[in-house]
C-alpha cells in the first residue's frame, strides 16, 4: 500500500469508525459467539500473496464484529468506562504516523517533554500538591503507564528497594534475604486483584486489611495490623489505598491512613484508577483530600477522561525513588507517544468541557449512598437471593439489550451498573432500568 | 467534536500523516532542541475553554516537530527499526474506534481469539515447533506483549514460580525464602539491559555469561557457570538467550545451550526482539535452530515486520507455566486490540511480501561477517581510537544528515549502523556511507 492508497483507505476507515460510533445502538451490545468461533472463519495460515484490501474490510464485519463487546455502546454498563473520543483518536493517528519510540529523551525529545508537561497540566487540574508537579522546585513528577497494574507494581518495587536500603543502612548485620523475608505489604480486601498480583510479582507478603460498612479501609484497621506485624518482627513497607474500588466505588480513608503510613515509613500508593478522573471537579475534589501524605498516586484517564486506552497517569513525590530503583519509570522501555492524546483531548474539550462530561456521567440517584453514585456505579440486589440474582444476570446477558457484570459484596451476588459510554444519556438509563425491572418482575413471579 | 467533524478532521489527519511520510526526507532526521525546549512553547495549564482545533494542528509543527527524532526517515540508522506501515495504521485506527479492552475472553471475544490465531499464523511463518502453536494438540501458545522487556520478565517470573514449586515438592524442609535466595538466572554479557532489569524486579541473582569472539554465548561457557553454582549449593533456574544482540546482532548458540538447560531444569527463554522477524525467510531460519529446546520465545514484529509499535509476540511451550503463575499472560490486565494490526499487515503484504521486505533491508555487505549484516546492523570503527570515534559520532550527529547511535564492543567505542526505515534504499545508504567517509577523512586529516 502506498501513500496514495493510504489516503483513500484512511478516509474510508475514518468514515467506518464514524459510522460505527454513530450507529452503535443498532448493534446488540454484547456478543453471543461461542469460544473458538473465530478460528473457523479464517484460514489456518497467513496468505502467501497479498489479499485484496476490500476483502480485509469485508471481514471486519464478517469475522470481528460478531465477537465484539461494544464498550462504547450506550447500553454497556459493565466493568468500567473505556470512553474513547474523537480528538484522542486523531492524536493516536498522529502517534502512529510519527512512529517514534520514546524510550529516552534523545530518542524523541518531544515525546518525553510533552508527557512531562501534560502530567503537570493534569496534576494541576486535580490540584495535586506542588511536590508532584515536575515544573516546580519539588522532587516529584508524573509519567504515563500503560495500566494501573503497572503503576501499582512500580510503586511496590520502588518501596521494596527503598526499604531494603533503609533497613540495611541501619542494620548492617542483616542480609538482604533476611530483610526481604520480613517485608509486608498491605491493601484493602476490596482492592483490585492487580494489587495482590503486584505482591506476587514482587515476591513479598501482602495482607488484606478489612473494611468498614462502606467497604472503606479506616486508619484504625491498618494501624492494628501494623502493630501486630511489627510486634512479630516483620517490616511493614507498602500500603496501597484505593479511591473508588472496582466492586462498589468505595473510598479508603486516606486522611486517616496517610499520617500512619508516613510515621511508619510505609510507602502509601493511591490507586484511583476508576474514580480519579472525577477529582477535576471541585465538588468531587474533597474525596482526594489526604493526597498530601501519598508517596505515589495513579489514575486512568483512559477510563473516564476521554483519552483512549492506554493512558494511566502516575505521579511520585520523589522521582529518585522510582528512577533510582530501576533506571526507568516503568517496566517497558519502548513507549508510544501517548501524551499526544492527552494534549488533543485537554485542548479540544477544555477543563470546563471535561468537568461537564464527568458531571453528566456522575449521576446522582436517589437511594444509594452518594459514594456509590460517583462514577455512575450503582449496585443492586433487587431480587434477594444469590441464586435469583445470578439468574437475573443471566437473563439480562442473554437478552443482549444491556450488558452488566456482577460483583460480590459481603457474600452477596450483586449486579453492578456502571455508566460507561460517552453517548449514554438518561434515555438509555431509563430504558435499562425498565428492562432490569421487567426481567426482575418476571423472575419473581415465576418464583412465587 | 461530533462525528461529522471527526470525518473532516480524520481526513485531514490521514493526509497530514501521508504528507509527513512522503516528504520525511526533507526534514533533518534528528532534533537540535535543548532539554526543556517544549515547556516554554505551551501554556503552563490546560485551557479552561476549548481551543480551536486548527490551532492544535498548527502546534504540531510549531511545538512537536522540532523535537521529533524521525524514526521513519530513510536517514535514521539508530537504535532499531520501528517501521510503521499503512495497513498497520489503518488497523490501529479501527482499534481506536472499537475501543474495547480485551482483558478477558468475555470482555471482547474477537480480541482474544484473533490474537490466538494471529500468533499461530506468525508461529507457522517462523516454522516454530508444533508445541508452540495453540491450534494443535500441544499445551503451548502465543500472546502479544507490549515490549520484549515484559516478555523477558514474564518468563523469568514463570520460571521462578515453577522452580520454587519443584524444589519445595522435593525438599519440604526448605522454606520458600531459603530456596529463593539460592536461585540464579543467567544471560549473556551482551544481552539487553532489560534482561538484567527483569532479575532486579524479580529479585533474583543474575550472572552474566561471557561470550566468544563473535559475542555469542556457547554451551561450554554456560555449563561451566552452572557447575560452579551448583557446587556452591545454588539453584540455576533461568537462562535468557539472545538471537540478535542489540550491540552487534550476535546469536547465542542455542543448539548447544538448549540441551544443557533442558537437562538442568533451567528455563530457556529466547529473546529475538531485534532479529526475529528475519526467521520468516527460509534462508535465515537456520539461525532459529534449537528453538525446540526453548520454554519461551519472543520477538518484536513492531521492530522489523511492519507492525506499528506496540506488538511484541511471545510463545510458551506450556501455557499453564505462565498462566498458572499469575493468572494472566502478562503484567497489564487491560489491552488494546493489537492483533488487528498483525491481521491487516499479514494479509496486505502476504508472506512473500514480508519476506521481500526483510530481504531488502537485510543487505549483504562485502566485508563484515554475515551475522552482522543480518538486520542491517553493521558496526564500524573506522577511525581507530575511542576518542576519535566519539568525535566522529558527534560530528555525524551535529550534521543532522543521518542519525546513528554508538555501542561498546570489547571496550571499543563503535559506531553502529542499523537500517531501519521502510523507505530506506541503496541511494540513502550510499549517501550515508559517503557522508561518514567524508567526515572520517576530515577528522583523520586534522589529526595527522
Amino acid at each position: 500500500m502506498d501513500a496514495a492508497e493510504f489516503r483513500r483507505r484512511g478516509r474510508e476507515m475514518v468514515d467506518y469508525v464514524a459510522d460505527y460510533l454513530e450507529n452503535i445502538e443498532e448493534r446488540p451490545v454484547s456478543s453471543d459467539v461461542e469460544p473458538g468461533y473465530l478460528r473457523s472463519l479464517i484460514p489456518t495460515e497467513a496468505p502467501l500473496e497479498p489479499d485484496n484490501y476490500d476483502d480485509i474490510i469485508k471481514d471486519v464485519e464478517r469475522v470481528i464484529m460478531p465477537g465484539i463487546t461494544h464498550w462504547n455502546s450506550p447500553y454497556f454498563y459493565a466493568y468500567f468506562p473505556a470512553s474513547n473520543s474523537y480528538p484522542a483518536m486523531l492524536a493516536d493517528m498522529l502517534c502512529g504516523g510519527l512512529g517514534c519510540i520514546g524510550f529516552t529523551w534523545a530518542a524523541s525529545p518531544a515525546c518525553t517533554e510533552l508527557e512531562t508537561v501534560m502530567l503537570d497540566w493534569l496534576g494541576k487540574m486535580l490540584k495535586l500538591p506542588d511536590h508532584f508537579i515536575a515544573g516546580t522546585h519539588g522532587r516529584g513528577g508524573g509519567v504515563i503507564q500503560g495500566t494501573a497494574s503497572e503503576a501499582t507494581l512500580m510503586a511496590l518495587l520502588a518501596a521494596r528497594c527503598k526499604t531494603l536500603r533503609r533497613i540495611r543502612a541501619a542494620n548492617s548485620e542483616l542480609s538482604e534475604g533476611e530483610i526481604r523475608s520480613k517485608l509486608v505489604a498491605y491493601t484493602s480486601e476490596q482492592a483490585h486483584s492487580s494489587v495482590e498480583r503486584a505482591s506476587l510479582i514482587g515476591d513479598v507478603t501482602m495482607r488484606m486489611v478489612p473494611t468498614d460498612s462502606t467497604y472503606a479501609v479506616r486508619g484504625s484497621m491498618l494501624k492494628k495490623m501494623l502493630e501486630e506485624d511489627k510486634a512479630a518482627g516483620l517490616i511493614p513497607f507498602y500500603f496501597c489505598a484505593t479511591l473508588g474500588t472496582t466492586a462498589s466505588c468505595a473510598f479508603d480513608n486516606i486522611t486517616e491512613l496517610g499520617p500512619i503510613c508516613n510515621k511508619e515509613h510505609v510507602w502509601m500508593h493511591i490507586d484511583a484508577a476508576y474514580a480519579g478522573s472525577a477529582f477535576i471537579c471541585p465538588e468531587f475534589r474533597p474525596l482526594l483530600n489526604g493526597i498530601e501524605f501519598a508517596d505515589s498516586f495513579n489514575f486512568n484517564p483512559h477510563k473516564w477522561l476521554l483519552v483512549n486506552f492506554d493512558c494511566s497517569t502516575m505521579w511520585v513525590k520523589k522521582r529518585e525513588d522510582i528512577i533510582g530503583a530501576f533506571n526507568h519509570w516503568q517496566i517497558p522501555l519502548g513507549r508510544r507517544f501517548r501524551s499526544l492524546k492527552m494534549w488533543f483531548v485537554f485542548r479540544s474539550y477544555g477543563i470546563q468541557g471535561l468537568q461537564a462530561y464527568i458531571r453528566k456521567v456522575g449521576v446522582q440517584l436517589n437511594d444509594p449512598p452518594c459514594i456509590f453514585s460517583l462514577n455512575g456505579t450503582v449496585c443492586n440486589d433487587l431480587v434477594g437471593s444469590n441464586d435469583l440474582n445470578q439468574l437475573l444476570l443471566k437473563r439480562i446477558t442473554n437478552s443482549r439489550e444491556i450488558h452488566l457484570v456482577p460483583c460480590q459484596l459481603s457474600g452477596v451476588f450483586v449486579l453492578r451498573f456502571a455508566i460507561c459510554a460517552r453517548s449514554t444519556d438518561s434515555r438509555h438509563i431509563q430504558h435499562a432500568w425498565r428492562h432490569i425491572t421487567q426481567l426482575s418482575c418476571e423472575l419473581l413471579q415465576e418464583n412465587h
Side-chain angles (χ1 to χ4, degrees), chain A:
Chain A
M1 187 179 293
D2 60 12
E5 187 178 355
F6 173 70
R7 288 175 201 272
R8 183 157 63 90
R9 300 307 190 179
R11 280 157 200 226
E12 289 171 10
M13 186 58 84
V14 166
D15 282 333
Y16 183 84
V17 167
D19 289 343
Y20 168 72
L21 291 171
E22 281 197 306
N23 302 306
I24 197 165
E25 287 189 41
E26 292 162 21
R27 297 177 189 261
V29 58
S30 59
S31 164
D32 64 351
V33 299
E34 295 294 323
Y37 87 98
L38 185 142
R39 193 177 281 275
S40 62
L41 297 178
I42 66 174
T44 56
E45 301 195 24
L48 265 183
E49 311 259 355
D51 278 349
N52 188 309
Y53 183 83
D54 287 320
D55 292 336
I56 301 175
I57 288 300
K58 273 183 213 148
D59 279 352
V60 172
E61 284 295 337
R62 186 181 67 91
V63 176
I64 303 299
M65 285 300 180
I68 293 289
T69 305
H70 299 285
W71 282 63
N72 285 285
S73 163
Y75 298 115
F76 180 89
Y77 304 110
Y79 313 114
F80 50 82
S83 41
N84 60 15
S85 71
Y86 294 121
M89 283 186 259
L90 294 167
D92 216 22
M93 288 162 64
L94 179 59
C95 166
L98 292 172
C100 55
I101 313 290
F103 60 89
T104 59
W105 181 85
S108 237
C111 193
T112 300
E113 299 214 1
L114 187 66
E115 181 165 333
T116 307
V117 180
M118 284 306 102
L119 269 285
D120 280 5
W121 277 21
L122 185 54
K124 289 174 188 175
M125 280 193 233
L126 297 170
K127 305 223 182 305
L128 292 186
D130 269 358
H131 57 243
F132 286 116
I133 307 297
T136 64
H137 297 293
R139 294 154 68 189
V143 69
I144 302 176
Q145 303 279 357
T147 60
S149 307
E150 291 161 74
T152 308
L153 174 61
M154 284 310 287
L156 180 137
L157 295 173
R160 188 185 70 181
C161 182
K162 190 175 185 175
T163 307
L164 280 171
R165 284 183 192 162
R166 182 174 59 81
I167 303 286
R168 278 211 87 174
N171 308 268
S172 55
E173 77 287 2
L174 288 177
S175 76
E176 220 172 274
E178 284 170 302
I179 301 169
R180 201 173 48 190
S181 67
K182 293 176 196 295
L183 295 179
V184 190
Y186 304 83
T187 197
S188 163
E189 59 182 11
Q190 291 288 323
H192 189 269
S193 61
S194 59
V195 182
E196 190 179 2
R197 209 156 150 265
S199 73
L200 290 174
I201 292 169
D203 211 3
V204 291
T205 302
M206 178 167 271
R207 293 190 65 192
M208 300 297 156
V209 189
T211 53
D212 67 11
S213 61
T214 67
Y215 302 105
V217 174
R218 305 296 302 263
S220 56
M221 296 155 175
L222 178 65
K223 196 160 181 236
K224 184 163 166 287
M225 289 180 96
L226 295 182
E227 275 161 14
E228 281 167 17
D229 288 346
K230 284 196 299 176
L234 301 174
I235 306 169
F237 80 105
Y238 176 79
F239 171 63
C240 177
T242 310
L243 296 183
T245 59
T246 310
S248 67
C249 206
F251 286 73
D252 291 341
N253 192 320
I254 55 172
T255 53
E256 289 177 5
L257 292 158
I260 297 168
C261 291
N262 288 180
K263 180 164 169 279
E264 301 288 348
H265 298 288
V266 167
W267 181 296
M268 182 162 83
H269 175 68
I270 296 179
D271 171 16
Y274 187 23
S277 302
F279 306 146
I280 66 166
C281 297
E283 67 272 30
F284 295 127
R285 176 59 178 75
L287 290 164
L288 188 58
N289 288 348
I291 179 67
E292 61 275 18
F293 303 113
D295 295 284
S296 53
F297 168 67
N298 168 255
F299 84 97
N300 289 349
H302 69 225
K303 282 200 162 70
W304 195 19
L305 208 60
L306 298 166
V307 180
N308 279 36
F309 189 89
D310 48 358
C311 180
S312 181
T313 45
M314 179 186 193
W315 289 263
V316 292
K317 191 179 260 183
K318 293 181 189 158
R319 287 191 291 269
E320 78 254 26
D321 282 345
I322 200 151
I323 303 173
F326 300 103
N327 294 320
H328 277 271
W329 288 82
Q330 43 171 21
I331 307 278
L333 300 182
R335 36 215 328 256
R336 290 164 67 96
F337 198 163
R338 293 178 291 204
S339 58
L340 286 172
K341 293 187 287 196
M342 297 173 73
W343 198 41
F344 273 53
V345 168
F346 296 164
R347 296 185 67 183
S348 297
Y349 282 85
I351 296 175
Q352 291 175 348
L354 293 170
Q355 289 171 336
Y357 176 66
I358 296 288
R359 287 173 185 135
K360 176 181 158 242
V361 177
V363 288
Q364 300 293 331
L365 293 168
N366 293 328
D367 197 24
C370 91
I371 221 159
F372 275 61
S373 65
L374 176 70
N375 206 7
T377 306
V378 296
C379 300
N380 95 78
D381 59 333
L382 264 187
V383 180
S385 84
N386 281 1
D387 285 351
L388 281 180
N389 274 337
Q390 239 164 330
L391 198 54
L392 173 59
L393 181 66
K394 201 172 170 184
R395 293 196 180 179
I396 291 172
T397 303
N398 289 343
S399 78
R400 298 173 71 203
E401 286 202 25
I402 64 174
H403 193 53
L404 300 182
V405 288
C407 66
Q408 291 276 348
L409 283 171
S410 311
V412 178
F413 183 94
V414 172
L415 275 63
R416 185 175 159 283
F417 186 91
I419 295 168
C420 292
R422 185 165 46 85
S423 53
T424 307
D425 62 29
S426 58
R427 167 173 69 90
H428 304 103
I429 296 170
Q430 282 160 17
H431 170 86
W433 193 252
R434 282 194 304 273
H435 184 64
I436 295 170
T437 308
Q438 190 195 327
L439 292 181
S440 303
C441 289
E442 286 171 19
L443 201 59
L444 286 171
Q445 279 170 1
E446 289 169 30
N447 284 275
H448 276 297

